[in-house]
Amino acid sequence: MTDKMCTRGVSISNGKPATFNDSTQSVRVVAVTENPVRVWDGDVGDFVREVLLVNGVSLPPGGKVPLLDSHNRNSVIGILGSARNFIANGTELECEVYFSGTDAGRNTAMNVKEGHLTDFSVGYSPSESYYIPEGKSQEVFGRTYQGPVK
């Protein structure tokens, strides 16, 4: 288990999301994808391709996580809503993001709906990770990965 909080982002394709629901002020997004994403790795001291495994995700009891402004956990003012209704869909973990009725939540919802805000970033603390160097391969949970990859 690591104490490091890591982040990675996912963009909504084509700007305006087709899944925005006006009545619930929510949007369906991909929270995690197993597609490799280039991230900074402090242990390696360089950028690496990282794969997050959907079957390794552990959600808090109740399955709801806060939607935070820029990952700011230092104040409740930064809570813009919540993410819930997580569903594994093959190599992706999708969820519904519900925006709060606060001014900040409504403004963020409008920015998403109008296509101004197109990226969501997920914070996570990996409990296990494996770095596979270039030229090597390793089986992780029944699947073989070619390095370099984490």
Side-chain angles (χ1 to χ4, degrees), residues 1-23:
M1 170 78 92
T2 180
D3 292 334
K4 290 187 265 182
M5 176 61 74
C6 304
T7 64
R8 62 191 279 182
V10 177
S11 293
I12 298 172
S13 61
N14 300 324
K16 294 183 181 182
T19 60
F20 195 90
N21 184 322
D22 283 309
S23 65

Side-chain angles (χ1 to χ4, degrees), residues 22 25 30 43 54 61 63 86 89 114 127 130 135 138:
D22 283 309
Q25 290 296 287
V30 173
D43 295 334
V54 170
F86 288 84
N89 186 6
E114 292 179 351
S127 58
Y130 307 91
Q138 182 176 338

Side-chain angles (χ1 to χ4, degrees), residues 75-144:
S75 170
V76 296
I77 300 297
I79 297 175
L80 304 173
S82 61
R84 48 196 153 173
N85 303 329
F86 288 84
I87 297 173
N89 186 6
T91 59
E92 296 180 337
L93 182 67
E94 298 177 354
C95 67
E96 297 283 342
V97 172
Y98 290 85
F99 299 97
S100 75
T102 64
D103 288 342
R106 286 192 308 274
N107 289 340
T108 304
M110 185 60 67
N111 280 326
V112 169
K113 179 180 175 180
E114 292 179 351
H116 306 295
L117 178 59
T118 59
D119 296 358
F120 283 81
S121 178
V122 174
Y124 57 97
S125 297
S127 58
E128 290 183 61
S129 65
Y130 307 91
Y131 180 73
I132 305 164
E134 187 168 358
K136 302 284 183 181
S137 65
Q138 182 176 338
E139 186 175 306
V140 179
F141 299 113
R143 290 168 49 195
T144 302

